[in-house]
């Protein structure tokens, strides 16, 4: 299966063996700007949107099964899931990287350092660093430590 999403607000799943579309989901609000896939859960796709939400999709359910909201409407630009699938980093139009704890469903870190939109994100294999690349031509490496219920940047 191959999943795709786009600014037209659609998430489409294709079956490469049959060469057919096997699933189609539509977001009624903002278009999608990024997507990543979980391996540990039925909530297997995470998407970011133009209206400031991270949506989690189960391929067998029509509507999102989880919505993460940062509390204000802003364009999310990209998304990256940690190797453990516990944390998700999201690039935002306010030049910050926000990190959610998917278990607690809350933002545990806000990383500020770019002067342009975040273009791409990647986690280190040990979940202790996030690398962000911005349209400002900066590459930032963020150390990430979770202590108890709080994380620091």
């Amino acid at each position: 299966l191959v999943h795709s999403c786009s600014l037209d607000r659609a998430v489409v799943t294709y079956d490469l063996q049959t060469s057919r579309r096997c699933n189609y989901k539509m977001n009624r609000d903002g278009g999608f700007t990024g997507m990543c896939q979980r391996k540990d859960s039925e909530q297997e796709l995470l998407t970011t949107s133009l209206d400031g939400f991270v949506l989690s999709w189960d391929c067998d359910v029509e509507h999102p099964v989880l919505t993460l909201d940062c509390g204000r409407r802003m364009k999310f630009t990209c998304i990256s899931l940690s190797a453990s699938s516990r944390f998700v980093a999201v690039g935002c139009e306010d030049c910050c990287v926000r990190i959610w704890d998917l278990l607690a469903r809350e933002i545990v870190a806000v990383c500020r350092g770019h002067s342009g939109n975040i273009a791409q994100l990647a986690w280190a294999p040990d979940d202790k660093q996030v690398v962000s690349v911005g349209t400002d031509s900066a590459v930032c490496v963020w150390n990430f430590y979770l202590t108890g219920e709080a994380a620091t940047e």
Side-chain angles (χ1 to χ4, degrees), residues 50-52 72-78 90-98 115-118:
L50 289 172
D51 56 353
R72 36 182 244 179
R73 297 294 166 253
M74 70 174 66
K75 177 183 173 185
F76 289 156
T77 56
C78 54
V90 176
C92 306
E93 71 177 348
D94 65 353
C95 309
C96 293
V97 175
R98 286 177 171 72
S115 61
N117 286 341
I118 312 301

Side-chain angles (χ1 to χ4, degrees), residues 17-83:
Q17 289 182 335
T18 63
S19 299
R20 305 183 111 209
R21 183 177 76 183
C22 61
N23 202 316
Y24 181 85
K25 299 173 185 322
M26 192 78 162
N27 185 22
R28 65 180 177 91
D29 296 320
F32 296 112
T33 56
M35 178 174 57
C36 59
Q37 184 171 4
R38 296 180 70 170
K39 296 177 184 174
D40 67 332
S41 172
E42 283 295 314
Q43 302 169 12
E44 51 224 13
L45 297 177
L46 294 168
T47 58
T48 51
S49 66
L50 289 172
D51 56 353
F53 291 102
V54 175
L55 302 173
S56 182
W57 303 87
D58 181 336
C59 287
D60 302 322
V61 179
E62 181 180 353
H63 299 288
V65 292
L66 172 69
T67 301
L68 300 175
D69 183 1
C70 72
R72 36 182 244 179
R73 297 294 166 253
M74 70 174 66
K75 177 183 173 185
F76 289 156
T77 56
C78 54
I79 186 169
S80 182
L81 187 64
S82 69

Side-chain angles (χ1 to χ4, degrees), residues 74-137:
M74 70 174 66
K75 177 183 173 185
F76 289 156
T77 56
C78 54
I79 186 169
S80 182
L81 187 64
S82 69
S84 68
S85 294
R86 179 173 177 188
F87 303 103
V88 63
V90 176
C92 306
E93 71 177 348
D94 65 353
C95 309
C96 293
V97 175
R98 286 177 171 72
I99 300 174
W100 264 279
D101 181 335
L102 291 176
L103 295 177
R105 297 183 180 181
E106 65 184 10
I107 295 173
V108 294
V110 177
C111 309
R112 294 177 177 89
H114 286 279
S115 61
N117 286 341
I118 312 301
Q120 194 58 263
L121 295 163
W123 282 88
D126 63 0
D127 290 0
K128 292 186 178 178
Q129 292 180 316
V130 178
V131 177
S132 59
V133 178
T135 58
D136 56 357
S137 299

